[in-house]
Amino acid sequence: MAVPSGVVSSVVASPVLAHGGDHVAPAQAWGAQTIVPVVLAVALVAAYVAATARYGRRMPRPWRAGRTLAWTTGCALVAVALSPALAVVPGDATRHMVQHLLLGMLAPLALVLAAPVTLLLGAGSPGVRRVVGRVLRARPVHVLSHPVTAAALHVGGLAVLYLTPLYALTTRSAPAHVLVHAHFLLAGYLFAWALAGPDPAPRRPGTATRLVVLVAAGGAHAALAKLLYAHADRLPPGGVHAAADVEAAAQWMYYVGDVAEVLLAVAVLAAWYRAHDTRDVAGARLTAAPPTAAPVAT
């Protein structure tokens, strides 16, 4: 999927400034860290809007405004996550947790609901459509986009970060911090796409399977937050935060995670309702169609 790759550019740029720019004056660092995510977000929104205009010229129906709003919201959430605006959240562990929640749960859902692959298929050239179709039919994509695989990558990434020395490494290493942000954004996008994405996804399991996976992933996410809260004095390993700060971060993880999972469940059920409503309307039209009159013999 080509969509998150552009967003990942913003993930790569801002943390490098944040971790590698200690020699920069505070005002300069603040300005650079603010401008880079904002410029990238504006560029992504502008590219999306341009694609919707092309889509409107080539397709019988105009692009839905709600999807454009979803894309704009997702890009804005990524920009906020990578900007110094989060410095107002008390505590370093809490700030990092809010970043991870925005990048891994809330922004991906908004970006997925914008249906960027569908937009690309409608606005792109025949060559682009053929390439996208081959990618969607590829077996590795089928494996990665299965809800179980996506959930393992999504929740498993959080578990690895907070239960191993990886978190301590990200506080010392800008490349590690960048890779963690990129993983959260990509894994979160994949998880939301596998469960509730309006974009085409060959061999996507039924709604019941996706809801079961969502409940299981939500339970694992909540359990990890509780574990982090209960052992705030020694988790994450190698961390330098006060226990009270880790407890606050765990509460953010628990409650905001619940909100994100409820929104994802609503998106799954809304997609199911739209699919059934469309079939019901089509069936009603066929039933209501008057029978063709038989020719009169002369």
Side-chain angles (χ1 to χ4, degrees), residues 20-279:
D22 294 337
H23 62 283
V24 181
Q28 293 174 332
W30 179 277
Q33 292 176 50
T34 302
I35 291 172
V36 170
V38 169
V39 168
L40 287 170
V42 170
L44 288 169
V45 171
Y48 187 95
V49 171
T52 64
R54 183 177 175 85
Y55 180 96
R57 292 193 299 267
R58 301 184 62 173
M59 305 298 287
R61 294 182 180 179
W63 189 251
R64 298 178 189 173
R67 289 179 173 179
T68 304
L69 178 60
W71 181 259
T72 304
T73 301
C75 291
L77 290 175
V78 172
V80 169
L82 299 176
S83 73
L86 286 178
V88 301
V89 179
D92 194 51
T94 304
R95 179 174 61 84
H96 282 194
M97 181 63 73
V98 173
Q99 281 184 321
H100 298 160
L101 291 168
L102 289 175
L103 288 173
M105 302 189 80
L106 297 177
L109 177 57
L111 294 173
V112 162
L113 293 179
V117 177
T118 302
L119 178 60
L120 184 61
L121 288 171
S125 65
V128 169
R129 292 197 294 270
R130 284 194 295 271
V131 170
V132 174
R134 284 197 294 269
V135 171
L136 291 175
R137 291 190 297 270
R139 185 169 183 80
V141 174
H142 294 167
V143 175
L144 286 174
S145 62
H146 192 280
V148 173
T149 309
L153 291 171
H154 177 58
V155 182
L158 283 170
V160 170
L161 179 66
Y162 291 113
L163 302 182
T164 73
L166 178 60
Y167 182 87
L169 176 63
T170 63
T171 63
R172 303 188 303 269
S173 168
H177 196 70
V178 169
L179 290 175
V180 166
H181 279 179
H183 170 82
F184 281 161
L185 184 59
L186 291 171
Y189 186 95
L190 184 65
F191 183 62
W193 181 59
L195 265 64
D199 281 327
R203 301 184 185 179
R204 178 180 281 158
T207 302
T209 300
R210 285 180 278 149
L211 287 174
V212 168
V213 172
L214 175 58
V215 170
H221 189 271
L224 180 60
K226 291 179 179 180
L227 183 65
L228 192 62
Y229 185 90
H231 300 284
D233 56 333
R234 57 180 182 273
L235 289 179
V240 295
H241 309 301
D245 188 19
V246 177
E247 289 176 352
Q251 289 177 320
W252 275 87
M253 182 180 183
Y254 185 86
Y255 291 110
V256 178
D258 279 353
V259 171
E261 286 146 12
V262 168
L263 292 175
L264 191 51
V266 170
V268 173
L269 293 174
W272 171 85
Y273 176 80
R274 284 194 302 270
H276 280 259
D277 186 57
T278 300
R279 285 197 289 267

Side-chain angles (χ1 to χ4, degrees), residues 291-297:
T292 304
V296 178

